[in-house]
Amino acid sequence: MQVLEALKELMVASNSYQEPTLEEIDRWSKIFNYSVSEAPGIITQFRADINRQRLTDVQWYIIKDDKEAEGYGRETYEHWLQVWSNKSKISNQPRASDDKAFVVFKLQAPFPDIESLQSKVGISATLKKGLGEEGDADFAFVTGAAKRAIGDWIETQLPRPPRPTFIRLSLSPKDLLGNSSDPTLGVDSSLPQHRLQDNQCHASAQMEYLVWYLFYGTLMDPQTVQKCVSLPSTPRLVPASTKGGILRSWGRKYKALVDGPADARVDGSAYLVEIAEHEEYLRFRETEAYEVVPCRINLEGGEEIQGLTFRFVKQEDLDVD
């Protein structure tokens, strides 16, 4: 899988960086509203940060055309992700979004394999094979909550704790197993009639394919979907709509679907995701700013089907209408 092979890029941190050019200073100043005097220092500090979040070649390939059309380059978009992440840190306390985030780290002592994570820390993880600095390597793919549990175990159980390098992946969380506080678009799960049956209905679909997605915004363009999912030909998107949500904007650039009145309608396009790898590409593209939630999709012609969509998470970051 391309995403997994690209893990090598996430694990290699480089100390080398270049002094910003006048053109780069001008670009950063325009994108982030930095003054010409402060931009060089910010760029230099950003490039010198070996622990900063980096996009893999695969991630950048998926979003490259969209972001360049918005004025970003790969480096400036990585900085934008950093700024957005820092803005979300209200305190040093763990956030719910941190628990849902995904991180990857190389399996080595004291956790040489997935089984050792289960026996020592009591957590489950997904094995990912990829390339490390010294060739083929095994990686553990875990949630942010599991990362915290691993860190706690290391600090309390080892006299001289090693410090694993955790790489945060900006991936839209998908939790259809009933652990989300509001698992369905436009449905208030605090109401008794929605607490049990909705969760049971969607749990079996956590890793079920084929699955319909309701797209809105730039994903309504078939060529955008083709590039995102790495398809050999242009896919067929079906005009469709859903209810229970409304479209807002954030960052003055992006469409954001949020919960709305039960009769509120959102028009978009439906796409049939065939395999988990294609869904993973889509979740990388949308990043952790969104989460995957179930919804009812009304196809052109009147047919209603069960499907999924991307709902915006950080409502406090929405633009003021």
Side-chain angles (χ1 to χ4, degrees):
M1 183 184 294
Q2 289 176 298
V3 173
L4 305 183
E5 292 172 353
L7 287 173
K8 180 180 179 181
E9 300 164 33
L10 291 172
M11 300 305 297
V12 177
S14 173
N15 285 313
S16 63
Y17 58 91
Q18 299 176 341
E19 293 295 326
T21 64
L22 292 176
E23 181 181 357
E24 289 171 334
I25 292 171
D26 181 64
R27 184 187 308 122
W28 282 61
S29 298
K30 290 178 179 178
I31 293 176
F32 302 108
N33 292 321
Y34 296 144
S35 69
V36 175
S37 61
E38 68 178 343
I42 294 174
I43 298 172
T44 299
Q45 184 179 17
F46 175 76
R47 289 175 175 173
D49 182 4
I50 63 173
N51 295 315
R52 62 181 171 87
Q53 179 177 347
R54 300 167 187 266
L55 295 172
T56 66
D57 286 343
V58 173
Q59 287 175 301
W60 179 241
Y61 175 82
I62 291 171
I63 63 176
K64 181 175 182 289
D65 287 351
D66 287 344
K67 300 310 171 189
E68 287 186 344
E70 295 166 1
Y72 292 101
R74 180 170 178 167
E75 187 180 53
T76 50
Y77 186 65
E78 287 177 339
H79 181 62
W80 180 91
L81 288 173
Q82 183 185 69
V83 171
W84 186 85
S85 176
N86 290 340
K87 181 180 177 182
S88 300
K89 294 177 181 177
I90 303 173
S91 69
N92 292 326
Q93 296 299 317
R95 297 170 292 153
S97 58
D98 288 335
D99 287 351
K100 295 180 180 180
F102 292 92
V103 296
V104 63
F105 70 98
K106 185 178 178 180
L107 287 169
Q108 55 191 6
F111 306 112
D113 49 42
I114 295 294
E115 290 72 25
S116 61
L117 279 173
Q118 176 66 48
S119 61
K120 294 178 180 178
V121 189
I123 63 169
S124 59
T126 301
L127 177 66
K128 302 285 188 180
K129 292 187 175 293
L131 295 174
E133 295 174 321
E134 301 176 355
D136 293 341
D138 290 341
F139 298 86
F141 194 72
V142 300
T143 64
K147 170 195 169 185
R148 192 164 63 250
I150 293 169
D152 290 344
W153 186 91
I154 289 175
E155 292 294 332
T156 58
Q157 299 297 322
L158 301 181
R160 299 183 63 183
R163 298 190 179 277
T165 300
F166 291 98
I167 306 298
R168 183 182 177 114
L169 303 179
S170 189
L171 181 74
S172 299
K174 178 186 179 185
D175 179 10
L176 309 183
L177 302 177
N179 299 317
S180 173
S181 59
D182 294 295
T184 305
L185 179 68
V187 173
D188 185 352
S189 58
S190 65
L191 298 177
Q193 63 266 34
H194 298 311
R195 287 176 187 166
L196 183 61
Q197 56 264 42
D198 267 1
N199 292 351
Q200 290 177 333
C201 175
H202 302 313
S204 62
Q206 178 71 20
M207 294 300 295
E208 188 177 274
Y209 305 94
L210 311 164
V211 59
W212 284 96
Y213 265 78
L214 190 282
F215 292 156
Y216 54 90
T218 55
L219 278 179
M220 292 174 63
D221 175 24
Q223 291 184 336
T224 298
V225 177
Q226 179 184 2
K227 183 176 180 64
C228 173
V229 186
S230 299
L231 297 174
S233 59
T234 304
R236 176 175 176 262
L237 302 186
V238 181
S241 65
T242 190
K243 289 187 176 182
I246 55 175
L247 284 181
R248 300 279 301 278
S249 66
W250 71 290
R252 304 296 176 186
K253 298 177 181 179
Y254 308 103
K255 295 289 186 182
L257 177 64
V258 297
D259 288 335
D263 59 350
R265 169 173 163 163
V266 174
D267 292 319
S269 297
Y271 172 67
L272 188 62
V273 174
E274 298 179 352
I275 59 175
E277 182 177 5
H278 290 175
E279 183 184 58
E280 189 173 68
Y281 286 149
L282 290 165
R283 292 169 63 197
F284 268 120
R285 182 188 189 275
E286 294 303 290
T287 76
E288 61 189 280
Y290 297 82
E291 63 180 343
V292 176
V293 295
C295 67
R296 299 296 297 176
I297 300 175
N298 300 290
L299 300 177
E300 185 179 54
E303 182 182 1
E304 184 179 78
I305 57 175
Q306 182 65 44
L308 303 171
T309 192
F310 291 100
R311 180 173 63 188
F312 189 66
V313 177
K314 299 288 291 183
Q315 294 205 30
E316 61 270 26
D317 288 339
L318 291 170
D319 296 333
V320 178
D321 294 332

